[in-house]
Amino acid sequence: GSMYAFSVTTNAVPGSGSSTLHVAQAGTPASYGVATLVPGGAVIPQPQAAVNPASVEVDVVQGGNASTVLTIGNTGAAGSTLNYALASSSSTCTNPAAVPWLGIAPASGAIPAGGTAPATLNVDVSTLAPGTYAVSVCVNSNDPTQPQIVVPLTATVQAVPAPAVAVAPSQFTFSVMQGGTSSQGLTI
């Protein structure tokens, strides 16, 4: 990447409002927020995203579901607000493809400096065969230095265990005189 220097001149009256400076690479649809400026040259404090845990592993019995919590935090400068959005992806977070068995709630929010917010990851494997499934949770935010954090999620689907049946005793022996009766207990 190349580094370019430039200056911005506005005709706004100091203290009259704020605006966001966006820079986009030619040929790309997205723009990248660089800094929010206040007339007079002051820079608004920037957020910094933090995600815990860095990766998630879930074990689920086939046909079941499970949930776990992902914590998003803003470790940025005082006065900053982290705006974030979460998405699931079966491929990369660059070109996300939604994962139908992974729900995320809430999927977006805003966090003040020093704050955290939980996001519940709901894993519903009712339609999945036993095996291991690796996907990503994409945490997109207005953090200017790390606008996307990828959290790997591994779901291991265990086969439903076969029912265990025990019978006692395993055999019966009867000694009965003609015309008589006898009984023995059977425990299942």
Side-chain angles (χ1 to χ4, degrees):
S2 301
M3 179 78 90
Y4 299 96
F6 57 92
S7 64
V8 175
T9 304
T10 66
N11 294 325
V13 176
S16 66
S18 65
S19 59
T20 302
L21 172 66
H22 290 277
V23 176
Q25 180 178 353
T28 61
S31 65
Y32 303 93
V34 175
T36 301
L37 307 174
V38 174
V43 175
I44 292 179
Q46 296 298 311
Q48 182 175 5
V51 179
N52 189 29
S55 64
V56 177
E57 292 184 16
V58 179
D59 289 324
V60 186
V61 174
Q62 184 181 18
N65 56 50
S67 65
T68 189
V69 174
L70 193 64
T71 302
I72 296 92
N74 179 3
T75 59
S80 67
T81 299
L82 179 76
N83 297 307
Y84 68 92
L86 305 173
S88 63
S89 180
S90 59
S91 60
T92 67
C93 287
T94 305
N95 297 311
V99 179
W101 51 264
L102 178 59
I104 303 172
S108 63
I111 306 169
T116 61
T120 301
L121 307 178
N122 296 303
V123 178
D124 178 1
V125 298
S126 58
T127 60
L128 299 181
T132 301
Y133 299 84
V135 298
S136 298
V137 176
C138 312
V139 182
N140 300 297
S141 73
N142 63 330
D143 178 337
T145 58
Q146 190 174 12
Q148 185 174 81
I149 298 173
V150 178
V151 179
L153 183 141
T154 303
T156 302
V157 180
Q158 306 290 337
V160 175
V165 177
V167 178
S170 61
Q171 65 181 20
F172 290 99
T173 303
F174 288 94
S175 221
V176 181
M177 299 212 29
Q178 186 176 6
T181 61
S182 179
S183 65
Q184 293 185 13
L186 174 66
T187 304
I188 299 178

